[in-house]
Amino acid sequence: MKIITAVIKPFKLDEVREALTEIGVHGMTATEVKGYGRQKGHAEIYRGAEYIVAFLPKVRIDIALSEALVDRAIEAIRLAAYTGHIGDGKIFVSPLERAMRIRTGETDTDAL
């Protein structure tokens, strides 16, 4: 089992969710976050004054899935989140040692 964590642009969330549903991923957690990478934020003008926005709004998606779906899920996220502009995001994959569905007590891949 693996955990995929993806940080994407907020307006791409629905496209990513639909792409993952098409390949058989039926659950995820999405969290509104702020961050920056190489783009280091940007300047905006508000009421005539310029200020630097250092942290940009992003969405973090966490998905627990079986090893068999990992490569397809990564590619689905990459294609759906792609804009071709700086700040499209990142995808991280980590091992998942154990999972349990609270309601039924099912464990590991049965719990996913």
Side-chain angles (χ1 to χ4, degrees):
M1 297 180 304
K2 300 285 186 182
I3 289 269
I4 294 179
T5 300
V7 180
I8 62 171
K9 291 182 175 183
F11 64 89
K12 287 294 198 169
L13 178 59
D14 284 336
E15 290 176 52
V16 169
R17 185 187 53 78
E18 289 170 12
L20 289 168
T21 299
E22 285 178 17
I23 66 162
V25 176
H26 299 292
M28 71 168 61
T29 301
T31 310
E32 292 180 7
V33 296
K34 293 185 181 203
Y36 70 91
R38 290 184 182 165
Q39 79 268 29
K40 305 258 193 298
H42 64 278
E44 287 189 5
I45 297 177
Y46 177 72
R47 294 188 178 182
E50 183 178 77
Y51 65 99
I52 302 298
V53 177
F55 291 92
L56 301 175
K58 302 286 184 180
V59 172
R60 174 182 166 157
I61 300 168
D62 293 298
I63 309 156
L65 67 172
S66 67
E67 189 104 25
L69 282 174
V70 171
D71 290 335
R72 291 175 58 205
I74 290 169
E75 189 64 7
I77 294 167
R78 189 185 71 79
L79 292 173
Y82 177 82
T83 68
H85 295 87
I86 194 163
D88 273 353
K90 295 272 194 303
I91 300 170
F92 307 100
V93 180
S94 305
L96 175 60
E97 291 184 26
R98 189 171 178 194
M100 178 181 279
R101 185 182 313 269
I102 293 172
R103 180 178 56 85
T104 62
E106 294 169 296
T107 60
D108 300 330
T109 55
D110 293 334
L112 303 179

